[in-house]
Amino acid sequence: MKNKAINRLSQIVSHKDIGLWVVALSWFIINSGLYLLYGIQTGLESEKYINQATQLYETGGVSEFRYHFYFGIIGLLYFVKLLGLNIYSAIYIQLAVSLAAHLYLYNSLKLNPAISISSRTSALLLVIIAPSFEYWNWTLYSESIFFSAILFFAATCIKNKPTDKRSIAIQVLLLTFCILSRPSGVLLIIPWILYVLQTNFKHRSWKMISACLLAGGVAFIAISNVILGTIGGWHVMDPFTNGYVICDISEYSQAHQFSLTANSPIGQLIEFTLKYPAEFLSLTFKKLVAFFTQYRDYYSPLHNAYVIIYSLVTLGLFLKGLIFGKLKDPLTLMLYSAIALWTISIIFQCDDYHSRFYNAILPLVILVGINPVARSFKKNCAKLKGEV
């Protein structure tokens, strides 16, 4: 027994797993630094989730329907309260889940022999050193749980193709948790459906293809309309009437009025785009710049320099993946479509103060970037073996 334990330990710390330790240590260093700089944040937006968890504990329900789409953090706070622990325990659980999600994604990439240690380690390090990706672990906002859920979901899709009931069930559960952690999780429905369709199309599993297409399409439209129609104190047209590039920061001296006849939130967005193309395109350009560069005029020059350099590196990787990537690969198609839908959602709404919306898809952007590296690595290995 003792020899087995020693052998297992030697395997874990072997060169083959050095990347795992680099990722874990880097995560620890960055998160420790964030704690020393900012401490634990339980105010501002955290307060509404704490209050909703308290209400759920006392009455068995939340105050508004929209809070069902923030169940990740509210459920965690409710669980902590149920156990009689203080709210700081939720922070520690978030941290543990975050670390597990990073390491699980690393291990899922490890299963692909075409992806080198340096590629998968670099991918996770880029996520960890992102300007604000890890910051939310020290708050009780919804982002930490949501970002971890996306990492787990992406890792599961990489690790297991949706060709059997078990794999599909696991991915559906994680997808559902993403949606119930933040409303924008609904944007993963269509990309995942495309992933399932393209994977199973090769196997000609027509029943599965039809069922996924129908169920996913209906779910996406229904959930989107519910989310867009139940946000308190906010209307789907607010970003356009008020000229929001960054949410709640108006580009206009006074609100603009637009004549629209559509009733549903999605219908109003489509009608606005067709009726007022000049206003739409002007705001779109500004939103895309803010979204992809993460530049903010209220940041310090040093902070803006960092986010711009970081954005150039990650976008450079993404463009490389976009140019050399192959849509025939189901996973690649899923990544592309998720990034595209997130971008479209920003175009039709507004960007966040601290790039929370971009950070949600940052791991997917980086995963697209390492795809060409993987193919090149695999091709070079094949040449060395005389296979090509």
Side-chain angles (χ1 to χ4, degrees):
M1 182 68 71
K2 184 178 179 181
N3 290 334
K4 285 184 178 179
I6 293 173
N7 290 335
R8 178 57 183 160
L9 182 63
S10 64
Q11 288 175 3
I12 292 174
V13 298
S14 68
H15 175 70
K16 290 182 180 180
D17 283 300
I18 191 67
L20 188 71
W21 288 99
V22 170
V23 169
L25 182 60
S26 300
W27 180 93
F28 179 79
I29 291 171
I30 293 296
N31 278 277
S32 297
L34 289 169
Y35 172 72
L36 293 174
L37 283 172
Y38 304 107
I40 295 175
Q41 306 290 322
T42 59
L44 299 175
E45 193 173 315
S46 299
E47 293 176 356
K48 68 180 180 183
Y49 302 125
I50 295 171
N51 292 336
Q52 291 301 317
T54 301
Q55 181 167 332
L56 178 63
Y57 178 76
E58 294 175 349
T59 68
V62 291
S63 64
E64 297 178 45
F65 183 82
R66 65 189 176 106
Y67 286 115
H68 288 86
F69 296 101
Y70 298 92
F71 181 76
I73 183 61
I74 293 173
L76 173 60
L77 289 166
Y78 170 79
F79 175 73
V80 165
K81 186 174 285 290
L82 201 63
L83 294 179
L85 304 173
N86 60 42
I87 60 172
Y88 296 110
S89 302
I91 295 287
Y92 307 140
I93 293 172
Q94 277 188 167
L95 287 163
V97 172
S98 173
L99 177 59
H102 285 72
L103 298 182
Y104 186 65
L105 179 58
Y106 176 89
N107 276 324
S108 71
L109 294 172
K110 187 175 167 183
L111 294 174
N112 185 347
I115 301 179
S116 64
I117 292 176
S118 60
S119 292
R120 60 179 178 264
T121 304
S122 298
L124 269 298
L125 289 180
L126 280 173
V127 173
I128 291 169
I129 66 169
S132 59
F133 191 89
E134 304 294 340
Y135 167 78
W136 308 104
N137 290 334
W138 295 102
T139 75
L140 289 174
Y141 284 40
S142 58
E143 273 66 33
S144 177
I145 295 294
F146 183 49
F147 292 170
S148 294
I150 289 178
L151 292 178
F152 275 119
F153 176 69
T156 303
C157 290
I158 292 169
K159 187 177 179 181
N160 301 302
K161 290 184 178 180
T163 54
D164 60 87
K165 292 179 181 179
R166 181 178 177 276
S167 296
I168 290 177
I170 292 172
Q171 290 172 22
V172 167
L173 285 174
L174 285 170
L175 176 58
T176 303
F177 188 73
C178 287
I179 296 169
L180 294 178
S181 294
R182 265 196 79 82
S184 52
V186 72
L187 298 172
L188 292 170
I189 292 177
I190 297 298
W192 181 75
I193 289 171
L194 293 174
Y195 177 47
V196 174
L197 292 179
Q198 191 164 8
T199 301
N200 287 284
F201 183 78
K202 296 176 181 178
H203 298 86
R204 297 296 190 275
S205 185
W206 295 111
K207 288 184 179 179
M208 187 178 294
I209 290 172
S210 301
C212 288
L213 188 61
L214 179 61
V218 171
F220 176 75
I221 294 172
I223 295 172
S224 296
N225 271 310
V226 168
I227 291 170
L228 293 173
T230 58
I231 301 178
W234 180 90
H235 189 270
V236 71
M237 287 304 299
D238 283 352
F240 297 103
T241 56
N242 295 306
Y244 293 154
V245 173
I246 306 300
C247 294
D248 298 324
I249 300 179
S250 180
E251 296 282 310
Y252 301 152
S253 56
Q254 61 181 13
H256 291 189
Q257 298 299 321
F258 302 104
S259 177
L260 302 173
T261 58
N263 293 320
S264 71
I266 292 177
Q268 289 179 358
L269 292 174
I270 294 172
E271 185 181 355
F272 173 80
T273 304
L274 298 174
K275 277 190 175 181
Y276 305 98
E279 289 85 351
F280 174 75
L281 291 174
S282 174
L283 286 171
T284 292
F285 176 76
K286 294 175 182 178
K287 290 173 185 178
L288 290 177
V289 171
F291 184 61
F292 284 109
T293 66
Q294 303 181 70
Y295 174 88
R296 303 289 187 266
D297 56 14
Y298 42 80
Y299 284 167
S300 69
L302 184 61
H303 192 148
N304 271 323
Y306 176 63
V307 297
I308 289 174
I309 292 171
Y310 180 86
S311 297
L312 288 174
V313 171
T314 52
L315 288 176
L317 280 172
F318 173 72
L319 289 174
K320 183 179 180 182
L322 195 63
I323 293 169
F324 297 104
K326 295 180 179 179
L327 283 176
K328 291 181 180 179
D329 174 40
L331 182 64
T332 302
L333 177 61
M334 186 187 82
L335 296 175
Y336 285 169
S337 54
I339 294 165
L341 278 177
W342 238 274
T343 304
I344 292 169
S345 74
I346 294 302
I347 289 173
F348 281 101
Q349 291 306 296
C350 50
D351 201 6
D352 178 69
Y353 291 102
H354 300 304
S355 302
R356 287 186 286 176
F357 303 149
Y358 181 72
N359 276 312
I361 60 164
L362 178 63
L364 310 185
V365 170
I366 293 169
L367 287 174
V368 168
I370 69 168
N371 266 345
V373 177
R375 278 191 294 277
S376 175
F377 181 81
K378 187 175 183 180
K379 188 175 180 180
N380 289 337
C381 289
K383 284 182 178 179
L384 289 173
K385 294 177 181 179
E387 295 175 2
V388 295

